[in-house]
Every structure is written in C-alpha cells, then in structure tokens.
Amino acid sequence: MPDSAYFHRLFMATLKPFAALRPRPELASRICELPNDVMSPEEARQIARDNPLSFLHVSKPEIDLPAGTDLYSPAVYAKGKENFESLIAQGSLRQDAQAGFHLYRQVMGKHTQTGLVAVASCEEYLRGVIKKHELTRPDKEDDRVRHIETLNSQTGPVFLTYPARKAVDDFVAERTAGIPEIDFTAADGIRHSAWPVSDQAGIRFLEQQFAGIPCLYIADGHHRSAAAARVFQSRKGSGHSAFFLSVIFPHNQMQILPYNRVLKDLHGLGAQDLLARLERVFVIGEPGQAGPSARHDLGFYLAGHWRTLSFRPELASSTDAYESLDVTLLQKHVLAPIFGIEDPRTSKRVGFVGGIRGTAELERLVDSGDYACAFSMFPTGIEELMTIADAGGIMPPKSTWFEPKLRDAMFCHLL
C-alpha cells in the first residue's frame, strides 16, 4: 500500500515560476487588451484602429485582413504570428531575464482582486487536480491550439481559483505594499497593477504554500487550458509545453456576475398564455425588478415590463448543488418545456448576455424586436461552482460571468 506521503505528492497543486514575456511598463496601457472572445471582429477593429501596439492585432489578427476573411484561415494565424514577432522585435514586449512569479491586482470600482501569475501543470489538468466545470466547443478549442502552435506561446492566461489561505494573503499584502512595476487604468476604468516576485525566498514560499493545496479550480479559460493540454500531449510533454499560463486568485476575492438569457420568440404562445404557464413554475411579482436580489429569483422582461419570478419552493428545494442552480432550474422547468429549447448549447433561439452589460442591454435587445423576452439571473456563487467541480460535475452552459477579465499580453508564456 502506498503511504500517505505518496498521496500528498499525487494530489497537490504544482505552480512554477517562469520567465514571462511582458510589455514595457510605459506601453502596457496601449498593448494589453481584453480576451479575444469577449468582442466581435468589428468591435476589435474599432478598438485597435489607431493603435498599432494593441494586442488585438495578435489575438484577433483578422482585423488586419479584409472584412469577411474566414476567422480560421491560415492567413489569420500567420498574421497574428507576424504581429506578435513585430512587438518582440521592436522591444515593446520583453522577456524577463530569469524565472519568477508575479502578483497581478485588478481594481474594478469597489472590487479588488489580487492573483498569483504562474504556470500550472498540464498533467495535473488532465488528471483532474485542476478541476473544470464546463464543457468546451471543439471549434474554439481547435482555434486556441492553432494560436498557441503558431505563436509558440500562450498569450492569454487561464483564470484559476483556490481556497483562500491566510499565509498567502499576508505574503501578497506585504509584497504589494510597494510601488508596482506595471500600473495603468484601462479605457473601461479597470486598474491593472503588477509586482514581480523574483527572489528565491519568495518563490520557494509560494511553491510550498500551493504544494499544500489539494486542487485548483478553473473559473474562466476552459478552452485555453484544454488547448494547452492538447499541445502538451502532441509535444509529448517536452519543455515549457508541460505548463500553461495562469493567474490564480483566492476564492473569496472572486466576483461573479450573472449570465442572462434572451429568447428569440415565445414558441407560438401569446403573452397571456405564456404568463399562465410561467405561473405554474413561479410566484410572479408585478411590477418587478430588473435585477433579482436573491437566489431563486429571476427578472423577466416582456413587452416593455419587468416582472419578478420566484421559483416555487417545491421546485427549488433540492439539496443537490447542480439541481438547485438557478440556471438548471430555468432550463429544466422553463426553457425546455415551455419554450422548446432542449439544448441551449446548440439552439439558435436563445442568446446569452454577460452581466457586465447590465439589464439595460436586455431591454435594448427585446425593445429592438430582435428578441421576444429576457431573463435576468442572480449570480451563481463561487461555492456552488467549487462544490459541483469537486463532485466531477459539469455546470449548464453560460452559468458564470467572471469580472474583471484578465488582460491578454500582461504576461505571455513562451514555449
């Protein structure tokens, strides 16, 4: 029988320092950008139009090619590589002389979160020590694989979380008390600051602390982590490909916003018939609030009016973490039986709107006639996510919207 030390080595989080490729501090505000998947090519083209340093020229290189170019054509990836190598050649992006960790703080209004920038183990991802809670789409996963392979680099981090530890919190507070090496406020008002941890004592401390943490959780970045693992497997675990770029935050600093739903039609129902069917599922409050204030409450927008929908207690009484999620209840009792949407992953009749856009965006989409009605959700809790991941479960699609988003190019991991 293996001893307990064996199991401790087998089930623990391995985080490693690395020699990051980073922007020159004075250029960071012009280079670093939101992830490629939170904007359309048209939005990206507008943002980067007058900024040749924008990392969107690397992460969404189709903006430098004729409109209508196939997003997955070889020319797109080749253009991204050309733009990436240009930023390096001109010295706008520079690699650290030695391996180290970094601390990355984001401030969004009254919310502050500080994470550890490191590389995490692809092998541990494949073994389930790094836990996921979402399924990935093959086309998006393939795109990320091609992006990594073409650039020979991971340029956007995976957003991980861990059960908070006071010793790590104290270390972070001490190390971030000084002047940050990179510090800028982006156009969206979010402040980004970074401090290096390059001394051996600091590196050793952080490695030892995380070696005592049994698992990590993917908050955002399922496609990036899956793609990194595929590259690791194709390269047979050689060199830096054995690890993937990550920023790891304590769970009690995570901010989850709702992921709202908009529906294209009422599935042949009139408004009064629809409300009558909804009344079997919910206690309906009129007039209602645009944003629900409690778990198991939803906002419902139809014909210019908000109603508050409260799941009937007998439907929301499950003690199972997955079954009691509001997104699960909505799918099980409303979207499938009332609207005929059996698979929200593939249905063209349902759209998803990140909570960062607010309930005004739901009103706009419905009032425009593009959609027939909208549901505003109460945010999923981080504890719910961790409980489901611990059980090996998969959450319904579009269950969580983490904010603020990590900026691409703040740190790159060269393979």
Side-chain angles (χ1 to χ4, degrees):
M1 286 284 291
D3 61 20
S4 60
Y6 170 83
F7 284 105
H8 179 72
R9 291 193 302 273
L10 186 62
F11 299 105
M12 65 181 190
T14 304
L15 296 180
K16 292 293 184 185
F18 68 108
L21 181 75
R22 300 187 291 138
R24 282 167 44 191
E26 69 274 17
L27 298 178
S29 63
R30 297 179 60 197
I31 294 174
C32 301
E33 294 286 6
L34 287 166
N36 72 308
D37 58 353
V38 301
M39 67 188 80
S40 67
E42 293 72 27
E43 289 171 321
R45 192 173 283 112
Q46 183 68 23
I47 292 169
R49 184 180 57 187
D50 299 319
N51 181 10
L53 295 179
S54 169
F55 204 72
L56 292 172
H57 296 290
V58 177
S59 61
K60 293 187 78 69
E62 64 270 18
I63 66 176
D64 294 329
L65 298 172
T69 298
D70 179 1
L71 300 183
Y72 304 126
S73 71
V76 171
Y77 300 96
K79 189 64 177 177
K81 179 180 181 180
E82 175 189 331
N83 293 339
F84 186 53
E85 291 177 345
S86 176
L87 287 172
I88 296 172
Q90 69 194 35
S92 299
L93 293 175
R94 302 181 299 193
Q95 189 173 20
D96 291 340
Q98 64 184 53
F101 292 119
H102 294 267
L103 301 174
Y104 176 14
R105 174 170 292 163
Q106 297 173 293
V107 180
M108 176 184 179
K110 295 180 180 180
H111 177 76
T112 298
Q113 58 189 38
T114 307
L116 173 67
V117 183
V119 289
S121 167
C122 290
E123 183 181 350
E124 290 179 2
Y125 166 82
L126 292 168
R127 285 199 284 114
V129 175
I130 298 173
K131 300 185 178 186
K132 56 191 176 183
H133 66 269
E134 286 184 4
L135 298 175
T136 56
R137 283 175 39 190
D139 58 338
K140 289 185 68 176
E141 199 176 299
D142 291 346
D143 171 57
R144 290 299 88 196
V145 168
R146 293 178 68 186
H147 186 78
I148 293 170
E149 291 283 21
T150 303
L151 270 58
N152 201 34
S153 178
Q154 298 155 355
T155 60
V158 176
F159 192 157
L160 299 177
T161 189
Y162 67 96
R165 282 196 160 200
K166 185 178 185 304
V168 177
D169 291 345
D170 292 344
F171 176 91
V172 169
E174 178 185 342
R175 292 301 181 101
T176 57
I179 298 173
E181 195 169 85
I182 291 179
D183 191 22
F184 68 93
T185 299
D188 57 8
I190 297 172
R191 184 177 179 182
H192 302 264
S193 309
W195 294 259
V197 180
S198 54
D199 61 291
Q200 287 306 305
I203 290 172
R204 238 183 349 263
F205 173 82
L206 289 170
E207 286 182 326
Q208 290 169 354
Q209 284 294 315
F210 279 91
I213 293 175
C215 61
L216 302 173
Y217 301 84
I218 299 174
D220 212 356
H222 283 79
H223 290 93
R224 293 179 179 197
S225 50
R230 282 175 53 184
V231 172
F232 160 70
Q233 290 174 312
S234 70
R235 297 188 180 191
K236 303 189 183 335
S238 62
H240 294 287
S241 70
F243 296 88
F244 62 91
L245 179 63
S246 306
V247 186
I248 307 97
F249 293 89
H251 83 283
N252 55 8
Q253 291 184 24
M254 306 293 278
Q255 177 175 246
I256 305 180
L257 301 184
Y259 221 140
N260 300 316
R261 275 76 170 138
V262 286
L263 304 185
K264 280 286 188 182
D265 57 69
L266 302 185
H267 198 43
L269 295 170
Q272 292 307 311
D273 289 339
L274 173 61
L275 290 171
R277 294 196 64 177
L278 289 176
E279 201 160 15
R280 301 171 195 166
V281 179
F282 302 99
V283 175
I284 301 178
E286 298 189 58
Q289 297 178 347
S293 57
R295 189 167 175 257
H296 298 330
D297 283 358
L298 286 70
F300 179 58
Y301 189 68
L302 175 69
H305 298 286
W306 282 103
R307 296 170 172 85
T308 295
L309 308 182
S310 302
F311 279 106
R312 293 191 175 275
E314 62 270 22
L315 300 179
S317 60
S318 174
T319 57
D320 180 274
Y322 177 88
E323 292 296 333
S324 65
L325 288 172
D326 286 347
V327 287
T328 301
L329 294 170
L330 181 67
Q331 177 60 37
K332 182 177 179 179
H333 297 292
V334 178
L335 297 188
I338 298 178
F339 289 92
I341 297 170
E342 298 295 339
D343 186 355
R345 295 181 191 280
T346 57
S347 175
K348 304 298 184 185
R349 295 175 49 235
V350 59
F352 302 92
V353 181
I356 189 66
R357 296 183 180 269
T359 55
E361 176 67 2
L362 304 181
E363 295 176 12
R364 186 190 71 80
L365 290 170
V366 174
D367 292 346
S368 71
D370 291 339
Y371 290 86
C373 63
F375 292 93
S376 63
M377 311 296 295
F378 189 74
T380 301
I382 189 64
E383 292 82 4
E384 293 175 292
L385 181 155
M386 295 167 77
T387 298
I388 291 170
D390 284 341
I394 297 297
M395 297 177 75
K398 311 298 185 184
S399 295
T400 55
W401 180 279
F402 287 89
E403 200 69 43
K405 299 295 184 186
L406 302 176
R407 291 267 159 166
D408 281 5
M410 277 286 285
F411 308 92
C412 300
H413 178 221
L414 298 176
L415 303 188

